[in-house]
Amino acid sequence: MRAAAALAALAAALAAAAALPRGALLPHGAARGDARLRPGDDESSAAVPLRRDLPFYGRAARRLYVGTNGVISTQDFPRETQYVDDDFPTDFPVIAPFLADIDTTGGRGNIYYRQDDSLDVLNQAADYIRAGFPQTAGSFVPTDAFLATWEDVGAYEEVSQDTEPSKKLNTFQAVVAYNASDAYAIFLYPDDGLQFFGTRPKESYNVHLELPARVGFSRGDGDNPKREGLFYSVASSERALKHLYQASNVMVPGVWVFHVGSASPLANVVPAGGGGHVADAATATTAAAAYGEDDHAPTALPPGTLPARESGAEPGGSLPEIAAQGPPPPPAEDRDRGPHPDADPDAGAPGPARLPRRGDTARSHPADPSSQRYGQHGVGVEEDVSFNADAFTYSAAGKETCRGHGGRCSPHAVCTDYATGSCCHCRATYYGNGRQCLPEGAVHRLNGKVSGRLAVGAGEAVRFGDVDLHAYIVGGEGRAYAAASPVPRPAARALLPLAPVGGLFGWLFALEEPGSENGFSVAGADFTQHLEVTFYPGEETVRVTQRAEGLGPEGHLRLRTHVEGRLPLVPEDVAVHVAPYTELYRYGDAGATSTAHREYVLTSDAGNRTLSYRLRQNITFAGCPHARRPPPTGQRLRVERVFALYDGAEQALRYATASRVSPAADEAERAPAHPCADGTHACHPAARCRPGPGSDYACECAAGYRGDGRRCEDVDECAAGPCHPAATCTNSPGSFSCRCAPGYEGDGFRCAAEPAEQPRSLCERWRQSLLEHYGGSPRGDQYVPQCDAAGAFAPRQCHGDSGYCWCVDQSGRELQGTRSEPGSPPPCLPSVAPPSVQPTPRPDVSPPAAGTFLLYAQGQQIGYLPLNGTRLQKEAAKTLLSLHGSIVVGIDYDCREKMLYWTDVAGRTINRASLEPGAEPEPVISSGLLSPEGLAVDHLRRAVFWTDSGLDKIERARLDGSERRVLFDTELVNPRAIAVDPVRGNLYWTDWNREAPKIETSTVSGANRRILVNKDIGLPNGLTFDPFSKLLCWADAGTKNLECTLPDGTGRRVVQNNLNYPFSIVSYANHFYHTDWRRDGVIAVNKDTGAFTDEYLPEQRSHLYGITAVYPYCPGARK
């Protein structure tokens, strides 16, 4: 047949070169009408609407997106931090020819994409597909194709002025060819097209490691996509990636074909070479099923040869590390699509049966200027609100061009000409409306003034005009903090429930979910918000106008706020709680509107009282109507945390919100609003509307009122005498308040006579006497007694700042033999019995419970994970220690003094802290370090050992940092993990030098250094010595093996051969526990069976580093 003959000829020609030449990629580039993705580190195209639905994983995709990081998706991409370092499955649908952290900034390559129905492209794709699936796709005729080509793209890297960018560049191509019934993906890797095989995570700081790229497919479903969801992994190790351009599953080196979708049941992606069988429908495989799957070592095609193949047999070269996760589906009957047409004797070139002609010439499509992903800017507004006349507006009359109007764009934007005018679009790593752009992920500030006229309760209105407003926004996280001061107390407390005043910043800088944009992306810094709020039951109304007036010289957004109206009184003795809420924003041509009914709770000792208000807001701004991307019809803002506080000392009103924005579901937008939601119910203003079936509802009078809900009247609570006899009761609509009479103190429900001043303690009197003697300002060498919070003598007293300290008894008398020299403060115990209720530890320290538990390092914190036997008690996990500004890598525990030790690569220090409540961290080594990583504690010798991959050293010191010395500083390239056997006095460490990785050993004094393991290892990240089995074990991110050996290097065995990307490992009982950079969690492995038995994925997603086990006793003590 002609297709087989054509492919055989192509395969023979390519086999002679043993690789696919670049010219054999499907045609691409500007000459073929490709769109070009804008340069950057984390860019994505606009949606490319497909001419016909694409079957993919049992779904019908109507559009495709192309991303910088070697991926194609059927939906818009999340931020790269949510997927680029993770293993499959991803949270969203993915076709990944080479998923890695790619960066095309500075002219480092191009990314092209287009859809195509030209005959040359469809015929070439059909050749590959028919060769890979001769039984089931022998007569497959594609009608459409989508091509994405990454040409000479580079890996993301942090380049300083002293370093040059890497010259390693990759080229690869993905083609999706399909018709109404089936879809196939073709990955092409030309000769020398893969020069780098992984990228360094942005969160690695100066910890030197590299995550391999991933190749494969993911459906992107499941409530917890890190635990379940259909996916198919092709390659995820450096070894397998290197064979992508050398091997094949269709006899052509560098070409890989997969069946990815069908109108008939298709359980998972099917690779070519399996006889073309189509699997029966099966239950979605879970990621957990991937544990235990063996990687398949790829086989390269020998130069100049092709394996013989019969029809239906597996075509040449094995798949690189292909593992369809879960049990393989049973083969179904081959679907006969009819005989392959014979070759056309008149054809001038080999090819498949002719496709339905659309013309004699191949069709190509011009690049779409709007294909670059910019903000959506066309939105609508209610008719009764005026527009901001000062805002710059686009006009289609007298077409504007970039030549004449490009100066209105931000310095961080580009101007694009369209058919009807020009628009500004923020450059890569910036976001906004193009006229104002801010850097992504940065901290933003907002400054402004608040003026207005407010009345509270029945009081007179008060004018104000010089209130400062400041906001602090954490870009990329959706967190906003706002403060206004000075605000007089009555007005400030009344404003506490009005979260929408601070909620504007939530809308403006919300965390963007795929397919959505926050307010700044849409409106920039030129907009006007009109807000009307009506409170119930009193029907007080306040109107707020906030005008954004651009960005200041330092990039700070300027905002002017005017508040006018009347607010209900919020009594002094109550707290205000605003629950998380959701708002639907509807967009039109020049603005956004939202309407909501919101409740808030006043809490006091008398009980809780729920009140409500209705708000209508309208945000107007000038968009750009010329860009081709259609505007959103609605977006949903979820304010997940709301905090309101009034600081009376500073007269500051503070709001804090955490928000995210997502597309509004079409069904929700079309559904009629419920009367309780849109305010069309007939309930009394002092009643609560409770939704029922359909559009039914019930009315219920709020607390403090009586009636049937349609009519409610106030209850006079004071008539029942709820207050203390020494207090006055004041009734108010729906509530009451109690206030203690003068001379009494309390909350009004309980009042007591104000106590006389307590006499000062002996310590306080002595301290005051000496301070007066020293004139109020003692010198550094003069003694002043130290008193605790209760006035008693602190157990440890020191002589000024001289460093000489001693212990004292309850009366302040020195205890003999406790005086110490500078630098060695004595351990003093309190001489009084501790209180029955222990004091609360400082907020960032949470002491662990008794029993065995794991401690793991996660960036700026150390986490606590208790064990029940060997099972992970995930529900009891918590943060043990918060270390802001640190990056904790190596950790270990001193079981004798219950002290935790860790390395900090950000601060370049080694530190420690007791696990007792209220303990304070203290530095042990604070100089002479560059990149301290691995750390091990010898509890018998009272010594600590560590590796420094920046200085290529291994050092030791006493646990207090003294007697520091270098053990080794030669023949080390990338020392990382380190472990100690205190009983036998041996030290072990890994060096993941890519050219010659090894595990070495010596005595703890540095004698008898020798190589223990240097064969069949790749990236030995984690190392542990098991004091029970006396085995040395390591986790290798290169080979993906967990292996053990005896201390002399004999008896080596593989425990598990399918790890993801381990970083650190520890042993306890019959289990290993390791941190994993793909899963961002702690993984448990059975020592005997090698089975993955459990995992813990912290709620906060970021990389985990070191891990250690803490026993309630010291293991392996000398006998």
Side-chain angles (χ1 to χ4, degrees):
M1 291 182 292
R2 187 176 60 185
L7 194 68
L10 176 61
L14 295 176
L20 185 76
R22 287 205 179 196
L25 293 177
L26 272 66
H28 61 277
R32 291 302 296 249
D34 283 19
R36 176 176 173 266
L37 191 64
R38 64 177 176 180
D41 172 37
D42 183 22
E43 301 300 327
S44 64
S45 70
V48 180
L50 301 177
R51 299 185 186 92
R52 70 171 66 243
D53 290 353
L54 164 69
F56 180 63
Y57 267 123
R59 298 168 176 168
R62 296 179 174 85
R63 59 188 64 85
L64 290 177
Y65 300 79
V66 177
T68 303
N69 296 315
V71 285
I72 302 170
S73 180
T74 60
Q75 69 181 52
D76 204 355
F77 298 93
R79 294 184 185 275
E80 66 173 17
T81 54
Q82 296 177 240
Y83 72 92
V84 76
D85 291 340
D86 292 348
D87 205 357
F88 289 123
T90 53
D91 298 3
F92 59 101
V94 154
I95 298 171
F98 194 87
L99 172 54
D101 194 357
I102 293 173
D103 186 1
T104 58
T105 304
R108 300 180 72 206
N110 294 294
I111 300 172
Y112 298 106
Y113 60 95
R114 75 177 186 277
Q115 54 178 328
D116 201 328
D117 57 3
S118 60
L119 295 180
D120 60 333
V121 167
L122 296 179
N123 286 342
Q124 189 173 349
D127 283 345
Y128 288 133
I129 294 165
R130 292 167 180 167
F133 297 89
Q135 299 296 321
T136 57
S139 59
F140 173 71
V141 177
T143 57
D144 295 272
F146 186 88
L147 294 81
T149 308
W150 287 258
E151 185 178 73
D152 293 326
V153 296
Y156 173 83
E157 55 189 356
E158 297 177 359
V159 180
S160 65
Q161 294 180 351
D162 301 327
T163 60
E164 291 290 332
S166 171
K167 291 182 170 54
K168 294 182 178 180
L169 303 174
N170 284 1
T171 297
F172 52 92
Q173 187 178 64
V175 180
V176 181
Y178 62 100
N179 58 22
S181 300
D182 291 277
Y184 295 84
I186 308 169
F187 294 165
L188 300 100
Y189 306 93
D191 184 23
D192 203 30
L194 298 183
Q195 299 178 5
F196 64 88
F197 303 96
T199 52
R200 180 178 174 182
K202 291 184 173 71
E203 290 185 10
S204 63
Y205 302 92
N206 56 345
V207 179
H208 302 287
L209 53 79
E210 187 176 276
L211 292 178
R214 278 84 67 222
V215 178
F217 307 86
S218 178
R219 176 170 170 165
D221 54 1
D223 294 334
N224 186 340
K226 290 303 165 196
R227 295 180 185 270
E228 52 183 291
L230 206 61
F231 69 101
Y232 190 93
S233 177
V234 178
S236 60
S237 69
E238 184 171 328
R239 180 182 59 179
L241 291 164
K242 287 182 177 179
H243 285 81
L244 286 173
Y245 65 91
Q246 299 170 342
S248 172
N249 63 355
V250 291
M251 298 198 308
V252 180
V255 180
W256 303 87
V257 182
F258 307 90
H259 193 184
V260 298
S262 176
S264 302
L266 187 69
N268 205 336
V269 168
V270 177
H277 295 297
V278 178
D280 291 331
T283 305
T285 331
T286 65
Y291 295 146
E293 287 286 341
D294 294 333
D295 288 338
H296 301 283
T299 303
L301 292 173
T305 64
L306 281 173
R309 180 174 71 105
E310 296 180 2
S311 177
E314 179 176 348
S318 63
L319 288 172
E321 198 187 339
I322 287 187
Q325 306 305 324
E333 294 296 328
D334 289 354
R335 292 180 292 172
D336 186 4
R337 302 176 186 272
H340 195 290
D342 291 334
D344 182 354
D346 299 325
R354 292 192 62 84
L355 299 164
R357 295 182 180 272
R358 293 181 175 85
D360 292 333
T361 58
R363 295 176 58 187
S364 60
H365 305 278
D368 181 359
S370 66
S371 61
Q372 296 174 327
R373 181 173 177 252
Y374 299 124
Q376 307 175 38
H377 307 299
V379 286
V381 66
E382 293 181 358
E383 295 180 356
D384 60 343
V385 178
S386 61
F387 294 98
N388 180 2
D390 297 329
F392 164 66
T393 59
Y394 293 92
S395 171
K399 174 184 171 183
E400 297 171 348
T401 64
C402 292
R403 181 183 297 273
H405 299 84
R408 290 172 172 161
C409 297
S410 164
H412 306 295
V414 295
C415 183
T416 303
D417 283 321
Y418 295 96
T420 59
S422 60
C423 293
C424 303
H425 303 295
C426 295
R427 298 179 184 273
T429 72
Y430 287 83
Y431 73 108
N433 67 344
R435 296 187 300 280
Q436 295 91 27
C437 301
L438 290 173
E440 292 180 344
V443 171
H444 310 315
R445 297 185 183 276
L446 181 150
N447 300 320
K449 292 287 186 180
V450 182
S451 61
R453 183 174 178 271
L454 275 179
V456 178
E460 294 293 326
V462 177
R463 289 189 178 275
F464 52 93
D466 194 28
V467 176
D468 290 318
L469 176 66
H470 300 283
Y472 176 91
I473 295 96
V474 182
E477 297 184 15
R479 292 186 287 124
Y481 306 88
S485 66
V487 183
R489 177 175 289 273
R493 289 193 57 79
L495 283 166
L496 285 174
L498 201 58
V501 173
L504 172 70
F505 312 126
W507 169 80
L508 197 58
F509 296 105
L511 179 64
E512 297 172 330
E513 293 190 355
S516 61
E517 293 175 308
N518 60 27
F520 192 80
S521 293
V522 175
D526 283 328
F527 62 86
T528 300
Q529 179 209 38
H530 297 275
L531 176 68
E532 181 180 277
V533 183
T534 303
F535 290 84
Y536 298 105
E539 298 190 10
E540 299 90 345
T541 299
V542 64
R543 295 177 178 83
V544 181
T545 301
Q546 296 188 286
R547 298 182 186 276
E549 300 176 338
L551 299 177
E554 297 181 356
H556 298 174
L557 190 146
R558 297 174 297 193
L559 189 73
R560 186 165 297 278
T561 303
H562 184 80
V563 184
E564 187 118 8
R566 185 173 296 275
L567 297 164
L569 176 69
V570 175
E572 292 284 340
D573 57 347
V574 303
V576 178
H577 298 280
V578 181
Y581 59 88
T582 300
E583 287 182 359
L584 178 64
Y585 284 77
R586 299 185 181 275
Y587 291 80
D589 290 334
T593 63
S594 72
T595 303
H597 182 270
R598 193 169 305 151
E599 294 182 341
Y600 61 99
V601 180
L602 302 182
T603 303
S604 67
D605 290 342
N608 296 343
R609 183 186 177 201
T610 302
L611 300 174
S612 65
Y613 55 79
R614 186 183 315 283
L615 65 88
R616 297 172 65 238
Q617 72 171 319
N618 195 301
I619 305 172
T620 63
F621 52 85
C624 180
H626 312 305
R628 300 182 183 179
R629 188 171 179 179
T633 57
Q635 294 195 135
R636 195 171 301 279
L637 178 73
R638 298 201 308 275
V639 180
E640 298 170 335
R641 289 190 296 275
V642 187
F643 176 77
L645 172 71
Y646 178 64
D647 185 339
E650 298 183 6
Q651 289 191 311
L653 179 64
R654 305 183 190 277
Y655 293 104
T657 61
S659 311
R660 63 177 60 230
V661 64
S662 61
D666 295 340
E667 293 77 8
E669 294 177 25
R670 291 196 296 265
H674 192 278
C676 290
D678 63 10
T680 58
H681 59 80
C683 299
H684 188 272
R688 189 176 305 170
C689 179
R690 295 195 177 278
S695 59
D696 294 341
Y697 61 90
C699 301
E700 180 182 300
C701 290
Y705 292 86
R706 64 167 66 95
D708 61 3
R710 298 184 181 255
R711 295 186 60 185
C712 301
E713 60 181 19
D714 178 51
V715 175
D716 184 3
E717 293 88 353
C718 290
C723 303
H724 188 272
T728 302
C729 180
T730 303
N731 187 55
S732 59
S735 186
F736 69 99
S737 62
C738 300
R739 185 182 298 274
C740 293
Y744 290 83
E745 66 177 11
D747 58 6
F749 298 94
R750 290 180 296 273
C751 300
E754 295 178 347
E757 183 177 355
Q758 294 292 329
R760 288 186 297 173
S761 66
L762 173 61
C763 180
E764 291 169 333
R765 294 198 305 273
W766 189 10
R767 176 182 177 85
Q768 183 62 31
S769 174
L770 286 178
L771 287 174
E772 292 175 356
H773 175 72
Y774 297 144
S777 299
R779 299 192 310 270
D781 60 348
Q782 292 177 323
Y783 170 69
V784 177
Q786 290 96 50
C787 311
D788 63 19
F793 285 96
R796 181 190 299 141
Q797 300 285 317
C798 296
H799 205 284
D801 57 9
S802 66
Y804 290 96
C805 300
W806 60 92
C807 302
V808 299
D809 62 13
Q810 187 174 358
S811 301
R813 291 188 292 267
E814 180 177 349
L815 299 177
Q816 295 300 319
T818 62
R819 187 170 288 265
S820 65
E821 298 294 324
S824 301
C828 304
L829 298 176
S831 57
V832 296
S836 58
V837 178
Q838 294 292 331
T840 302
R842 67 180 232 188
D844 59 351
V845 176
S846 183
T852 301
F853 53 89
L854 303 176
L855 296 179
Y856 60 88
Q858 188 179 19
Q860 301 186 67
Q861 64 187 29
I862 295 174
Y864 162 79
L865 181 58
L867 297 177
N868 182 4
T870 57
R871 300 295 297 178
L872 303 175
Q873 287 188 274
K874 290 168 275 195
E875 69 283 353
K878 62 181 179 181
T879 298
L880 178 78
L881 191 63
S882 293
L883 301 161
H884 302 294
S886 300
I887 299 298
V888 181
V889 176
I891 59 174
D892 205 359
Y893 177 70
D894 174 24
C895 58
R896 284 177 56 179
E897 294 187 352
K898 295 181 171 56
M899 192 81 71
L900 179 65
Y901 289 76
W902 67 89
T903 60
D904 177 2
V905 296
R908 298 180 179 179
T909 57
I910 296 175
N911 309 273
R912 67 180 179 181
S914 169
L915 295 189
E916 297 300 322
E920 293 284 345
E922 60 177 342
V924 176
I925 303 291
S926 56
S927 63
L929 300 174
L930 184 57
S931 184
E933 295 186 13
L935 178 140
V937 169
D938 184 339
H939 66 277
L940 297 179
R941 293 170 182 79
R942 318 304 297 148
V944 60
F945 304 84
W946 68 91
T947 65
D948 192 318
S949 65
L951 300 175
D952 296 335
K953 288 182 179 180
I954 295 176
E955 298 187 65
R956 67 166 286 173
R958 298 283 294 173
L959 289 180
D960 61 2
S962 62
E963 301 180 23
R964 175 181 177 182
R965 67 187 182 93
V966 175
L967 292 180
F968 306 108
D969 58 1
T970 61
E971 299 181 15
L972 293 171
V973 178
N974 289 115
R976 169 153 297 161
I978 191 167
V980 64
D981 175 5
V983 174
R984 293 162 186 78
N986 291 328
L987 191 66
Y988 308 91
W989 64 93
T990 69
D991 187 335
W992 60 274
N993 172 14
R994 287 184 176 275
E995 304 302 322
K998 60 185 175 181
I999 300 174
E1000 292 188 274
T1001 183
S1002 73
T1003 67
V1004 292
S1005 61
N1008 195 23
R1009 177 183 181 181
R1010 62 196 184 280
I1011 295 177
L1012 203 62
V1013 180
N1014 64 351
K1015 296 184 182 302
D1016 299 322
I1017 59 174
L1019 299 174
N1021 275 342
L1023 185 70
T1024 183
F1025 182 82
D1026 183 357
F1028 302 100
S1029 66
K1030 310 300 187 292
L1031 291 176
L1032 180 72
C1033 304
W1034 66 93
D1036 193 316
T1039 65
K1040 298 193 175 183
N1041 288 345
L1042 193 167
E1043 298 187 64
C1044 293
T1045 183
L1046 293 171
D1048 60 0
T1050 63
R1052 179 176 175 180
R1053 73 180 183 94
V1054 176
V1055 178
Q1056 168 59 244
N1057 65 354
N1058 195 28
L1059 303 181
N1060 279 298
Y1061 200 94
F1063 186 88
S1064 180
I1065 189 170
V1066 69
S1067 171
Y1068 171 69
N1070 66 337
H1071 269 70
F1072 293 107
Y1073 303 91
H1074 70 270
T1075 56
D1076 189 278
W1077 272 41
R1078 288 284 195 226
R1079 304 286 291 165
D1080 285 341
V1082 176
I1083 314 297
V1085 179
N1086 186 286
K1087 287 183 182 177
D1088 301 321
T1089 65
F1092 294 91
T1093 61
D1094 205 357
E1095 70 174 353
Y1096 167 64
L1097 307 179
E1099 182 177 350
Q1100 178 182 341
R1101 289 296 308 278
S1102 62
H1103 291 321
L1104 276 64
Y1105 294 84
I1107 188 170
T1108 191
V1110 177
Y1111 310 93
Y1113 55 89
C1114 282
R1118 287 194 181 98
K1119 295 182 180 180

